[in-house]
Amino acid sequence: MNAILDIKGLRACLRGRSENAYVIDGLDLTVQEGEVVALVGESGSGKSMTAFSILQLLPPAIHITDGTILLGGHDVMKMDVRTLRQVRGTQASIVFQEPMTSLNPLMTVERQIAEMLLIHGKATRRTAPGKVIELLELVRMPDAKRRAKQYPHNLSGGLRQRAMIALALACEPRLLIADEPTTALDVTIQQQILKLLLDLRDRLGMAILLITHDLGVVAEMADRVAVMYAGRIVEHGPVVELLEAPRHPYTHGLLSCLPAEHADPDERLTEIPGLPPQPGSIRQGCPFAPRCPRSDAICTEVEPAMTSDGASHYKCHHPWTAP
Amino acid sequence: MSSNALRIGRFVARRLVQAVPILVGIAVINFLFVNMAPGDAADVLAGEAGAASPEFMADLRERYGLDQPMYVRFLVYLGKMMTFDLGYSFRFSRPVTELLLAHLWPTLLLMVTAILFAFIMGIVMGVIAARNVNRWPDYLISTGALIAYATPVFWLGLMMIVLFSVNMGILPSSGMETIGAGYTGWRRAADIGQHLIMPALVLGMYLTAFEVRLMRASMLEVGEQDFVTTARSKGLGENAIAYRHVLRNAMLPLVTMLGLQIGAMLGGSVLVETVFAWPGLGRLAYTAVFQRDINLLLGLLFMCSLMVIITNIVTEVAYRLIDPRISME
């Protein structure tokens, strides 16, 4: 298999703070062609920043200091502006978290999608409207012909997210980055959108990097999972192994937060004590050590290296044992 | 497209109908306030004549209907207004309507030029400043706007006359056209244009500074919104993002403020027209106040409220044409 995305040793720094305020700190991540990889973690763990860095869309305050991001075999950080613009949308595209604000309120859906087709030469002014309808039908937008002429405010959240997905798919990217695509939607719409994404993956054969904090979504969607904490991947592996036999105490903690299937409704849910570290506050050792029930002296001194055990990969001195 | 024009037409018609009670209300307030000021036209006329007998004064008052009780005068005034008869100016010895129309065009020309200047400069300078934020073009424009914002209008007008008319002799210092030159056609338009430059600039300066600052802030704010990141992720260049996606969204507050500022500009035009001897409504109003020309003053106030109402309708239509989220209904 070929890797469509291969990130190695990525470090991104928050400008204006101390030298070590890294929001992404030595991140390695690979996505193979046609694969669905879920990137999970708490808010502030650097998931979205990782997504933005792939297409060089990071806010001006954050800049990448080290590492390589190979997208389709080419390093996006070495690309000039022209090449980068060419890559955006055709190699990879992004579906954002907030369908309410991620479309231009003053442009019709049709114009926003057609614009994408036109700049990449995938349609002419004459053929664009037809292609837009096709795309909207692909994402099962009801009444696509009428919806195309409408503005974002005429559409509900779910429909806007469909329009956003149609936009992202317009130039047939090999990687779709979905940054919490269902967080802002209600549960039934969430299901429809997730099903749509999987269905599109099967039909179009693209890879999906799904960013989420919802482990239910992960179980349903992903082939592989990478767990992110404090700007780095602490554990990754195939979805079944990772969810059934987590090795890293953080993954273990995340999974114990979920309510059990037949739990007593009055029972208190377990939680991971403490808060994730602020960027720059971890100087040495394992970033999870202060919150970890299994940590000891070595954890606060030495940052564990990535260890492989069968299909599981984890960064921990005292992992849970495989069953 | 034609259905759109029809919707705009219906919207304007509805707003005009809604304006009728507002105009009547304004007429009532205007009439009360103007009549509460001590002294009437008869006093002024008599004062200017030097000596007047009580019989002459009574005769004057009777001739102009000033001896009637206030409610009678008001009803007569309202009744005449319905037929767009705004009465007779005894100072100018001409019907008020005729006077107003004669002075309306110079003021409209002055204001529209000033507003267009402010709007275009506001957008151009605001965009340049925002796209070069915290670099020298931004500092230059922002500082310039701040200075223009803080400069008193009358001082600026006088200084410009000193510089461009007295010292350099390139621009006429007063009036709307060269008196007695008898120009026609394009030559006349060019002559008026030359006279227009300074007053329009002075009148528009404050609004320009205001719009530049607003546009800069608005561009920066819109530039941080999610849909701009979406546009960037599509592979659009920075120019296309700025002009196709950010600019239109950033213009919305500008249009709103423009509508609100035009009313204030009418006040400013009194000053500017006085400094530059521009034969417009502002100077006419100044004369009417000091000469107790009540009919003329009432007509002027009425005309101004009409202009403000029309401006507001135009702003509302413009706003709805730019932003599809606000409906015409």
Side-chain angles (χ1 to χ4, degrees), chain A residues 55 57 85 88-89 94 96 98 101-107 111-112 115-116 119-120 151 153 164 167, chain B residues 225-227 229-238 240 244-246 248-249 252 322-326:
Chain A
L55 287 176
L57 295 170
R85 278 173 49 196
R88 288 173 178 164
I94 304 193
F96 295 98
E98 273 295 336
T101 55
S102 48
L103 290 168
N104 187 336
L106 305 187
M107 275 193 196
R111 262 193 73 192
Q112 300 195 46
E115 189 181 38
M116 175 98 153
I119 48 171
H120 292 297
Y151 291 92
H153 74 274
M164 193 63 213
L167 176 71
Chain B
Q225 287 184 12
D226 289 350
F227 68 81
T229 311
T230 304
R232 202 164 280 134
S233 81
K234 285 159 124 180
L236 283 173
E238 290 304 313
R244 228 180 288 164
H245 288 266
V246 181
R248 254 182 91 195
N249 280 282
L252 294 175
I322 300 175
D323 191 344
R325 284 168 294 186
I326 303 166

Side-chain angles (χ1 to χ4, degrees), chain B residues 137-161:
Chain B
D138 177 28
Y139 292 134
L140 200 69
I141 291 169
S142 297
T143 313
L146 191 65
I147 291 171
Y149 195 67
T151 307
V153 168
F154 68 91
W155 182 84
L156 186 67
L158 292 174
M159 287 304 117
M160 282 179 89
I161 290 177

